[in-house]
Amino acid sequence: SAVISQKPSRDICQRGTSLTIQCQVDSQVTMMFWYRQQPGQSLTLIATANQGSEATYESGFVIDKFPISRPNLTFSTLTVSNMSPEDSSIYLCSVVGTSGNTDTQYFGPGTRLTVL
Amino acid sequence: QQQVKQSPQSLIVQKGGISIINCAYENTAFDYFPWYQQFPGKGPALLIAIRPDVSEKKEGRFTISFNKSAKQFSLHIMDSQPGDSATYFCAASIGNQFYFGTGTSLTVIP
């Protein structure tokens, strides 16, 4: 399994500002993912972050709004830019790790963002 | 297109009862089916998982039943406890591509 930490755990931000969320993993992983989970909703994949290349964004998400960095195999950041109240959500970092001989997905504790 | 369909959206069960959550998928290439449990304010945590070459997997009070021909799988929580109250997500994967269900909010009443 993988142990994932995120900073900050929560934040309250003003409209128009930006917030950078950090994700740290206790082991080297090839693929890291960023998800958004709106209250009471399922998990929506924002992008896949691979070390040494640009992140791959899902439909509806763009780099200008959600720039991602992946400087090494244990760390990634997601920035939520020019925030609006609609960006209020939980943002989750996840990685694919190996459990036994199976690749499975592990999640961080999440960052709860409130935009006023 | 929702790759994995999950039901019910919410479920209320009496303490000691059996909670059953169902998922269905279309892509027969999926080769791994995990269930996640998420408590309020926490990230989803892997609960139990199954591969399509077995029909059932049991870990304590949690059992996955898998029906390959029907392309369905379900989570059974035996002797449900108030501490099981959480949101449960099913998922299906091919390699590193994971697809999640929409989640089931389970409430176990004392």
Side-chain angles (χ1 to χ4, degrees):
Chain A
S1 67
V3 178
I4 305 169
S5 60
Q6 286 184 234
K7 292 181 181 180
S9 59
R10 60 177 61 224
D11 208 342
I12 300 173
C13 300
Q14 294 295 323
R15 179 195 299 260
T17 63
S18 298
L19 176 71
T20 296
I21 303 168
Q22 298 178 7
C23 176
Q24 180 75 51
V25 189
D26 69 340
S27 58
Q28 294 185 339
V29 293
T30 302
M31 301 180 75
M32 297 179 77
F33 306 88
W34 286 99
Y35 285 83
R36 183 171 72 183
Q37 184 179 29
Q38 294 179 313
Q41 301 296 312
S42 188
L43 305 162
T44 301
L45 181 63
I46 297 171
T48 301
N50 297 314
Q51 196 265 340
S53 63
E54 278 198 9
T56 304
Y57 289 83
E58 298 298 305
S59 176
F61 298 96
V62 296
I63 188 171
D64 289 346
K65 175 68 175 176
F66 297 100
I68 289 171
S69 77
R70 182 80 198 276
N72 57 52
L73 292 175
T74 63
F75 187 80
S76 178
T77 66
L78 169 76
T79 299
V80 186
S81 302
N82 188 25
M83 288 184 285
S84 67
E86 292 71 33
D87 294 320
S88 297
S89 190
I90 298 171
Y91 292 85
L92 293 156
C93 170
S94 78
V95 303
V96 172
T98 301
S99 175
N101 60 352
T102 301
D103 287 339
T104 196
Q105 199 161 31
Y106 298 94
F107 288 88
T111 296
R112 181 179 295 271
L113 171 62
T114 302
V115 184
L116 303 177
Chain B
Q1 180 184 359
Q2 189 72 32
Q3 294 271 1
V4 179
K5 296 182 180 179
Q6 184 173 346
S7 64
Q9 184 175 0
S10 62
L11 181 62
I12 299 174
V13 173
Q14 292 279 349
K15 178 182 176 181
I18 303 174
S19 304
I20 302 175
I21 305 170
N22 300 299
C23 285
Y25 64 97
E26 286 298 324
N27 190 343
T28 56
F30 288 138
D31 59 4
Y32 180 66
F33 301 87
W35 284 89
Y36 290 84
Q37 180 188 55
Q38 184 179 29
F39 293 106
K42 305 290 186 182
L46 180 65
L47 182 63
I48 187 174
I50 197 169
R51 286 204 171 274
D53 53 348
V54 298
S55 60
E56 184 176 282
K57 183 174 182 180
K58 183 175 181 179
E59 290 184 1
R61 296 184 294 108
F62 299 90
T63 300
I64 301 177
S65 296
F66 188 86
N67 186 329
K68 190 174 182 178
S69 60
K71 294 186 285 187
Q72 295 176 348
F73 59 110
S74 59
L75 176 68
H76 296 237
I77 306 174
M78 313 300 288
D79 186 26
S80 298
Q81 300 296 313
D84 298 330
S85 297
T87 299
Y88 294 81
F89 293 96
C90 63
S93 75
I94 311 170
N96 291 328
Q97 291 281 86
F98 282 75
Y99 300 89
F100 290 88
T102 49
T104 296
S105 176
L106 171 65
T107 302
V108 181
I109 300 172

